[in-house]
Amino acid sequence: MYWQPEYYDREMEAIYKRAWLCDGRIDQVKAAGDFFVKEIKTFNMSVIVARAKDNVVRAFYNVCQHRGNHVELKPCGNADGFVCPFHGWSYSLDGRLAGVPDQRAFYDLDKSQKGLQEINLDIWEGFIFINFTEKPAQSLIEFLGQQGADLVGYPFHEGTEIFEYEGVINCNWKCMVDSFCETYHVPILHGRSVSTTLASPENPHGRLIDIRLKGPHRTQSVWGNMGYVPNPVQGLAFANAPGPSITSGSVDTARELPKGLNETRAPNWSIDVTVFFPNWIIVMGTGMYFTHQMWPLSSNEVIWQMRGFLRPAQNAAQRFGQENSMVELRDAVLEDCNTLERIQQSLDQGLLKEFVFHDHELALRHHYHVVKEWLADFENER
């Protein structure tokens, strides 16, 4: 399933065009007229998300209904509407066709039938999701299921300071998801970074505390080395950050956690890695969180997008703590990414016919089970 292009084409139709996909944060469209454009390169689509004057947030294909040009070329902003730069057709923020130059020359044009084509949109905990199916089989809440319900109340809204990384990786999208969904590799691959905080002498193999499978989604609770002694610079950074860093292995014990975070309430817990099928991962601690998202381009190429969300710094010392958090996390994540193209090269050559999974790679086995289920369901519906 990694190295055969025919599987890729089926996955895009059966999974990516039918699942709810995270498209952004509500913070990007706070006021009426605010909009952003998301390029969904998996399908070579451009999507506009906008808050209209009625305060409703909607999503549209960025396609003029006259000749197909994009009606918005800027990545974000605030506007009264959208005007196609080709022939000047204009659209209101709610997608209605508002104006057509020399409209009389079209004779039978019905403007009410030529608005921007709307995409299904819904919001969960401030995250905007879209679905490309005309009539989705499930609502967003149904799709997110128990995993979504169990995370309601996490302070996502506090992470207003954002940092981002993005790159094109020559690997299959599933291979990229895999790399962040097990900790068997932590003592080896991260031997010079986070192995000292996410593993310990009591847990030398970096075993998980817990794995929870909820519908097509899953969560892994990761060990924290509560006895870790940071070096002097680290110690200053950890002590002054607005909240515990993901890489520190420590937690803010005063924080009340939603049911779905550290569900076993283990005292040596540090973070949860929560995966919403098919392509969205949230890594959550008590002081910050970050997300991974994978947008496939082919059977062996994927766009990886990472966004980190921090509480605002109140002074220079906290800003230093933030920067340390970002750098440590960046370095650890790049260690993960470092393996992927070599793995894919082996897979493309057909040198592996199967994977042998460790017990703590259960989430990976579940992922392939769900992919097969969605492919089978799609074939049965046709």
Side-chain angles (χ1 to χ4, degrees):
M1 293 173 67
Y2 275 96
W3 56 90
Q4 296 174 313
E6 58 267 29
Y7 278 106
Y8 172 81
D9 295 335
R10 289 167 56 199
E11 287 170 351
M12 295 306 101
E13 293 295 323
I15 298 173
Y16 275 77
K17 283 190 176 179
R18 297 167 69 222
W20 286 91
L21 305 171
C22 185
D23 192 46
R25 283 284 299 169
I26 200 70
D27 308 14
Q28 297 170 262
V29 283
K30 290 180 180 179
D34 285 353
F35 71 89
F36 67 88
V37 175
K38 177 78 171 182
E39 302 296 336
I40 310 290
K41 294 186 179 179
T42 298
F43 302 119
N44 200 24
M45 291 176 182
S46 182
V47 173
I48 299 173
V49 175
R51 185 183 291 274
K53 294 179 180 179
D54 61 3
N55 210 36
V56 175
V57 179
R58 298 177 177 87
F60 307 98
Y61 291 105
N62 188 8
V63 177
C64 180
Q65 299 302 293
H66 174 218
R67 296 270 294 282
N69 190 42
H70 289 181
V71 300
E72 184 55 63
L73 304 183
K74 297 190 294 293
C76 60
N78 184 280
D80 294 326
F82 306 105
V83 180
C84 177
F86 195 5
H87 296 95
W89 281 36
S90 60
Y91 300 85
S92 61
L93 293 166
D94 60 10
R96 290 177 294 112
L97 178 58
V100 175
D102 197 16
Q103 181 180 336
R104 290 170 56 189
F106 284 93
Y107 304 108
D108 60 350
L109 178 65
D110 182 354
K111 289 199 298 182
S112 68
Q113 301 300 310
K114 289 295 181 180
L116 295 176
Q117 187 176 347
E118 193 164 352
I119 303 168
N120 292 291
L121 179 148
D122 206 345
I123 298 168
W124 172 81
E125 292 296 286
F127 289 99
I128 297 168
F129 285 77
I130 57 174
N131 189 301
F132 292 115
T133 308
E134 186 175 344
K135 293 182 179 180
Q138 294 178 300
S139 68
L140 174 62
I141 296 304
E142 290 170 336
F143 174 74
L144 298 179
Q146 193 62 49
Q147 180 151 288
D150 288 345
L151 291 174
V152 169
Y154 181 83
F156 292 111
H157 63 284
E158 293 183 2
T160 55
E161 297 296 314
I162 300 171
F163 62 95
E164 298 179 281
Y165 302 111
E166 180 174 328
V168 176
I169 312 293
N170 293 323
C171 72
N172 185 273
W173 68 276
K174 299 186 296 299
C175 192
M176 183 122 213
V177 173
D178 289 352
S179 67
F180 302 119
C181 295
E182 48 88 3
T183 56
Y184 180 46
H185 69 275
V186 166
I188 310 302
L189 185 64
H190 298 309
R192 305 179 84 177
S193 57
V194 296
S195 66
T196 49
T197 56
L198 303 185
S200 72
E202 296 79 25
N203 184 17
H205 300 296
R207 289 184 173 181
L208 292 164
I209 293 171
D210 185 29
I211 302 174
R212 303 180 292 283
L213 310 179
K214 299 182 179 181
H217 318 300
R218 64 261 190 215
T219 295
Q220 298 84 239
S221 285
V222 179
W223 178 280
N225 181 6
M226 301 307 162
Y228 174 68
V229 178
N231 64 49
V233 174
Q234 255 187 339
L236 283 172
F238 289 170
N240 289 287
S245 167
I246 290 287
T247 57
S248 69
S250 60
V251 298
D252 180 352
T253 56
R255 282 266 158 172
E256 184 176 350
L257 305 179
K259 175 183 180 294
L261 200 67
N262 186 21
E263 201 159 308
T264 64
R265 294 302 188 256
N268 55 343
W269 170 84
S270 64
I271 56 174
D272 269 10
V273 180
T274 299
V275 187
F276 285 100
F277 185 79
N279 73 331
W280 193 51
I281 301 172
I282 320 176
V283 181
M284 289 174 283
T286 55
M288 63 177 290
Y289 70 97
F290 69 95
T291 64
H292 295 292
Q293 196 159 24
M294 295 70 175
W295 295 101
L297 296 176
S298 71
S299 62
N300 56 12
E301 190 176 32
V302 62
I303 296 174
W304 161 66
Q305 296 172 336
M306 175 179 163
R307 300 186 82 200
F309 300 82
L310 302 161
R311 300 180 208 165
Q314 302 301 314
N315 52 50
Q318 290 190 357
R319 183 68 189 86
F320 166 69
Q322 280 184 332
E323 193 67 25
N324 183 82
S325 298
M326 290 188 285
V327 170
E328 285 195 347
L329 181 57
R330 177 203 64 194
D331 290 351
V333 168
L334 288 177
E335 287 173 341
D336 288 308
C337 295
N338 179 55
T339 67
L340 295 170
E341 295 192 356
R342 295 193 297 273
I343 292 170
Q344 190 64 44
Q345 184 181 39
S346 300
L347 297 173
D348 283 339
Q349 294 168 351
L351 299 177
L352 286 177
K353 302 302 182 185
E354 63 181 13
F355 288 132
V356 180
F357 288 120
H358 187 278
D359 274 353
H360 286 252
E361 294 176 306
L362 174 63
L364 279 61
R365 297 204 303 270
H366 179 66
H367 188 198
Y368 302 126
H369 173 71
V370 174
V371 167
K372 288 181 178 180
E373 277 192 329
W374 277 58
L375 288 174
D377 289 345
F378 181 69
E379 293 298 329
N380 290 337
E381 291 172 6
R382 297 177 71 175

